[in-house]
Amino acid sequence: MTQASGNARWAELVQTLNELNKTYHDVCELGRKKHKALIVIDLKSIEAMNSEEARLTQAIRKLEAERQKQLIRLAVENRAITKDTRMSDLAKAAPTPQLRMLLEKLHQALDASTKEAAQLHENNRLLIEGALSAVTYHLNRLGGMHVENAYGSKGQEVVTHAKRLEFDA
């Protein structure tokens, strides 16, 4: 294998990592928008964002699969590299100092982006759970029902109904 083809493989990996980082930035931006929509309970906006979120998730899966394929191709040249090699270790295996530095910067950016995306996801999940609890509370109050905090003997929720006087006339 020639030096040029080896460097081309590294360049493809850098390109994929860069695209992955851009996609995570898009996920974070969408997460911030979704957070605002959840706070004001803008269901139409949230619904519209769900399809965009699915598209971005699919793009991340595709880019991640491509990254693993590229790592396998690089592993043919360098046995220290596997498809699950950590980015910090991968940077050490880079053929040039410039590429090593670029991979380290991409690693730092990707690490920050994925952590931010995970934090936004968790915050939004908590908002959704809180909103669902509030809706359940109000529906139960309106319907005269109450779902207990414990499960019944068969693993089902225990629901009690308010006793109201019924007059059969």
Side-chain angles (χ1 to χ4, degrees), residues 35 38 119-131:
H35 187 81
L38 285 167
Q119 184 63 50
L120 285 165
H121 175 76
E122 180 64 18
N123 291 347
N124 289 344
R125 186 187 64 78
L126 290 173
L127 278 175
I128 290 168
E129 284 180 5

Side-chain angles (χ1 to χ4, degrees), residues 103-169:
L103 285 169
E104 286 171 356
K105 284 183 181 181
L106 276 170
H107 168 60
Q108 291 169 354
L110 258 171
D111 191 46
S113 296
T114 54
K115 284 179 181 175
E116 182 183 4
Q119 184 63 50
L120 285 165
H121 175 76
E122 180 64 18
N123 291 347
N124 289 344
R125 186 187 64 78
L126 290 173
L127 278 175
I128 290 168
E129 284 180 5
L132 286 174
S133 293
V135 167
T136 301
Y137 169 77
H138 287 292
L139 286 175
N140 287 341
R141 202 178 88 190
L142 290 172
M145 295 187 327
H146 176 70
V147 178
E148 301 293 331
N149 288 334
Y151 289 98
S153 62
K154 294 183 182 177
Q156 299 172 337
E157 291 181 333
V158 177
V159 179
T160 56
H161 299 274
K163 295 184 180 186
R164 299 196 175 152
L165 299 176
E166 295 183 18
F167 296 104
D168 292 336

Side-chain angles (χ1 to χ4, degrees), residues 20-71:
L20 201 57
N21 193 34
K22 287 178 186 176
T23 306
Y24 271 109
H25 276 289
D26 293 345
V27 166
C28 291
E29 184 61 35
L30 186 66
R32 286 188 284 277
K33 288 179 184 176
K34 194 171 193 177
H35 187 81
K36 290 176 185 173
L38 285 167
I39 288 172
V40 297
I41 310 172
D42 183 359
L43 296 180
K44 286 184 181 182
S45 294
I46 293 168
E47 189 175 335
M49 288 180 218
N50 285 341
S51 62
E52 177 67 11
E53 191 173 47
R55 185 190 68 75
L56 289 171
T57 302
Q58 183 60 34
I60 288 173
R61 276 192 204 110
K62 182 181 173 190
L63 288 166
E64 193 58 39
E66 183 61 31
R67 180 192 68 84
Q68 288 185 354
K69 288 178 190 174
Q70 290 167 346
L71 286 175

Side-chain angles (χ1 to χ4, degrees), residues 71-104:
L71 286 175
I72 289 170
R73 286 186 218 122
L74 286 171
V76 170
E77 301 168 25
N78 184 342
R79 293 291 175 200
I81 300 172
T82 68
K83 70 177 183 133
D84 298 317
T85 297
R86 296 176 49 88
M87 286 285 288
S88 55
D89 296 332
L90 182 66
K92 293 174 187 171
T96 65
Q98 295 86 1
L99 195 54
R100 190 172 304 123
M101 194 166 73
L102 183 59
L103 285 169
E104 286 171 356

